[in-house]
Amino acid sequence: MKILVVEDDHETASYLKANLSGAEHDVEWASDGSTGWRMASNGDYDLLVVDRMLPHTDGISLIRNLRAEGKKMPVLMLSALSEADYRVEGLDAGADDYLGKPFALNELKARVGALARRPPLAEARTRLSVADLHMDLISREVTRGKQVIELQPREFRLLEYLMMQAGKVVTRSMLLEHVWEFHFDPQTSIVETHISRLRGKIDRGYELPLLHTIRGTGYCLRAPG
């Protein structure tokens, strides 16, 4: 693997470079967060080992910046701050694993090996399509054929969920949970009302409907045929 170590302590960095290189990895080193960010952004690395406390750009910010750029390489964060709250913050920032200092070399190598064996992350979906109905998740534009469809935020979320489950029957309780984040039945017609409005916007005026009611079960968004 090609590994980038981002560590400002020269002794620790030399130790990591020497021992990881000895494990048949190609290891490069950056001594501050800004340099590490630039190298990781422009380089083709299989794994990053990032210290939390770095000059110029700290490890948390470095990882967040890389994830915002769409960089998906696994990251092992190192830190003397090993309490649960700090570990959670590092993982929430986008680190895949967190190892407290001081650490045992065999544990470091085991964690690096485990990250290397993980399958690569799938590319995030930015566009959904069912027949001639298209949704752009970045611009949040919905079209059917050449017609732009204006949706309210909740209608957009409802359609997004239906499109992600295209061809499958989704129940009322599934919609309440995933679209409204209700884990109980509010005993209202909120789902039926929104389905009716959505159907009017995506199906009315078109020869073939896409949104179907499955009597006694739920709803299904599917292509004709």
Side-chain angles (χ1 to χ4, degrees):
M1 286 195 304
K2 186 177 180 182
I3 299 175
L4 175 62
V5 172
V6 189
E7 169 63 69
D8 62 319
D9 182 79
H10 287 222
E11 184 176 347
T12 302
S14 297
Y15 177 79
L16 290 169
K17 193 164 188 245
N19 284 284
L20 290 176
S21 297
E24 300 180 350
H25 301 305
D26 179 15
V27 182
E28 297 181 3
W29 171 43
S31 60
D32 64 78
S34 296
T35 302
W37 179 14
R38 175 177 52 78
M39 292 175 66
S41 294
N42 299 322
D44 186 21
Y45 295 99
D46 300 301
L47 175 72
L48 305 185
V49 179
V50 179
D51 186 40
R52 183 188 179 105
M53 306 297 291
L54 293 167
H56 305 314
T57 300
D58 64 86
I60 295 288
S61 298
L62 185 156
I63 295 170
R64 282 181 177 148
N65 292 338
L66 290 174
R67 296 308 190 214
E69 292 173 356
K71 297 295 182 181
K72 301 182 183 299
M73 73 284 279
V75 178
L76 172 60
M77 174 164 274
L78 305 178
S79 178
L81 303 173
S82 57
E83 290 82 359
D85 287 347
Y86 294 115
R87 293 199 305 271
V88 168
E89 185 181 14
L91 295 170
D92 283 347
D96 298 272
D97 200 358
Y98 195 106
L99 183 58
K101 293 180 177 179
F103 52 82
L105 179 61
N106 59 350
E107 183 178 6
L108 172 74
K109 288 184 176 180
R111 288 175 183 264
V112 167
L115 290 174
R117 291 190 296 271
R118 287 188 184 179
L121 294 174
E123 291 296 321
R125 298 176 69 182
T126 61
R127 188 173 177 83
L128 301 173
S129 297
V130 178
D132 59 347
L133 179 66
H134 305 287
M135 172 180 284
D136 189 314
L137 297 174
I138 303 300
S139 67
R140 299 185 70 80
E141 181 180 74
V142 175
T143 59
R144 183 163 184 190
K146 297 182 180 180
Q147 181 68 40
V148 175
I149 299 172
E150 299 293 338
L151 298 177
Q152 296 298 316
R154 189 69 68 179
E155 295 168 344
F156 184 95
R157 179 69 188 96
L158 174 60
L159 180 59
E160 179 186 4
Y161 182 73
L162 289 167
M163 294 184 77
M164 292 181 72
Q165 305 297 322
K168 302 176 184 177
V169 176
V170 297
T171 65
R172 185 174 185 276
S173 61
M174 290 168 66
L175 293 174
L176 285 170
E177 179 177 350
H178 292 282
V179 178
W180 281 270
E181 297 184 356
F182 289 166
H183 298 279
F184 61 94
D185 190 335
Q187 303 296 320
T188 68
S189 60
I190 187 172
V191 172
E192 293 77 9
T193 299
H194 280 77
I195 286 287
S196 177
R197 290 176 182 169
L198 183 61
R199 179 179 280 124
K201 292 185 177 183
I202 68 172
D203 278 345
R204 186 173 298 147
Y206 296 92
E207 181 179 358
L208 297 173
L210 300 178
L211 181 53
H212 303 270
T213 298
I214 311 302
R215 189 174 299 277
T217 306
Y219 306 93
C220 181
L221 187 75
R222 61 172 181 257

